[in-house]
């Protein structure tokens, strides 16, 4: 089994600059860097060191379950955006609605390694789960989240959990 990692566009561009075209994959470039070889001398890239905040991990039972995010994402896409929205709009709407109902814990606002909040990251994973279940389209343009006909039907049947406030 191969692990999946997410990297931002800036890091991907740096990897491309270190790669030998038609030979390297992101994996081979990262391996070479980790093994201390650093790649071809003519392709070296300066990497800015960034301070790393100490990680604080919320206890598993204290986090809002991903299934709750999935429910709110279906609802938001189906009602507020008529089935289609960009990632940022949909994520913001889900988080604001959950926050207004008192469903997000303090840990939801902590930054995670992807550079987004835990809540934003969980909305993205909720989107992947809905896509895997056939409720979001696999063929939407990058950054656009769109309900399938099955997703539209499921969104109509959503019953939001009661407010904690």
């Amino acid at each position: 089994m191969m692990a999946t990692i997410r990297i931002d566009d800036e890091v991907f561009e740096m990897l491309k600059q270190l790669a030998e075209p038609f030979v390297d994959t992101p994996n081979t470039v990262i391996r070479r860097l980790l093994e201390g070889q650093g790649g071809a001398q003519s392709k070296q890239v300066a990497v800015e060191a960034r301070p790393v905040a100490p990680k604080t991990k919320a206890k598993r039972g204290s986090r809002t379950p991903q299934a709750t995010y999935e429910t709110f994402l279906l609802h938001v896409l189906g009602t507020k955006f008529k089935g289609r929205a960009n990632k940022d709009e949909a994520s913001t709407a889900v988080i604001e609605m959950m926050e207004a109902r008192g469903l997000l814990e303090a840990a939801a606002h902590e930054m995670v390694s992807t550079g987004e909040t835990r809540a934003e990251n969980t909305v993205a994973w909720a989107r992947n789960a809905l896509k895997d279940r056939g409720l979001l389209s696999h063929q939407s343009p990058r950054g656009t989240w769109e309900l399938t006909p099955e997703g539209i039907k499921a969104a109509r049947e959503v019953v939001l959990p009661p407010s904690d406030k």
Side-chain angles (χ1 to χ4, degrees):
M1 180 177 123
M2 296 183 77
T4 300
I5 62 169
R6 294 181 183 176
I7 58 173
D8 60 44
D9 292 336
E10 182 182 353
V11 171
F12 186 71
E13 288 302 315
M14 287 188 273
L15 285 174
K16 284 184 359 186
Q17 291 177 7
L18 292 170
E20 184 177 337
F22 299 110
V23 175
D24 282 327
T25 64
N27 188 73
T28 59
V29 174
I30 292 168
R31 179 183 301 275
R32 191 167 52 241
L33 289 169
L34 291 173
E35 290 174 348
Q37 296 175 1
Q41 290 177 351
S42 64
K43 294 185 180 182
Q44 289 183 354
V45 176
V47 179
E48 174 187 336
R50 295 181 184 164
V52 177
K55 287 190 178 185
T56 58
K57 189 162 183 161
K59 293 179 184 172
R60 174 118 356 233
S62 68
R63 290 189 243 161
T64 306
Q66 181 178 311
T68 303
Y69 286 86
E70 292 170 20
T71 300
F72 275 84
L73 181 55
L74 266 177
H75 175 76
V76 162
L77 285 173
T79 59
K80 185 170 181 169
F81 296 107
K82 304 204 182 339
R84 181 182 175 135
N86 74 42
K87 175 188 180 198
D88 293 334
E89 291 172 335
S91 295
T92 299
V94 166
I95 292 166
E96 286 175 355
M97 185 176 281
M98 291 177 69
E99 186 73 45
R101 290 173 164 256
L103 296 173
L104 294 182
E105 69 291 342
H109 302 291
E110 294 173 356
M111 298 300 280
V112 296
S113 62
T114 59
E116 57 197 349
T117 65
R118 187 176 307 282
E120 291 167 332
N121 185 261
T122 306
V123 172
W125 282 105
R127 175 255 184 191
N128 287 342
L130 295 174
K131 190 168 82 167
D132 289 345
R133 293 202 313 263
L135 301 176
L136 289 178
S137 176
H138 286 270
Q139 285 143 10
S140 298
R142 182 174 177 85
T144 300
W145 297 356
E146 184 173 18
L147 293 171
T148 62
E150 296 83 12
I152 292 169
K153 186 176 175 182
R156 287 186 187 129
E157 298 170 2
V158 165
V159 176
L160 293 178
S163 174
D164 281 355
K165 285 189 173 182

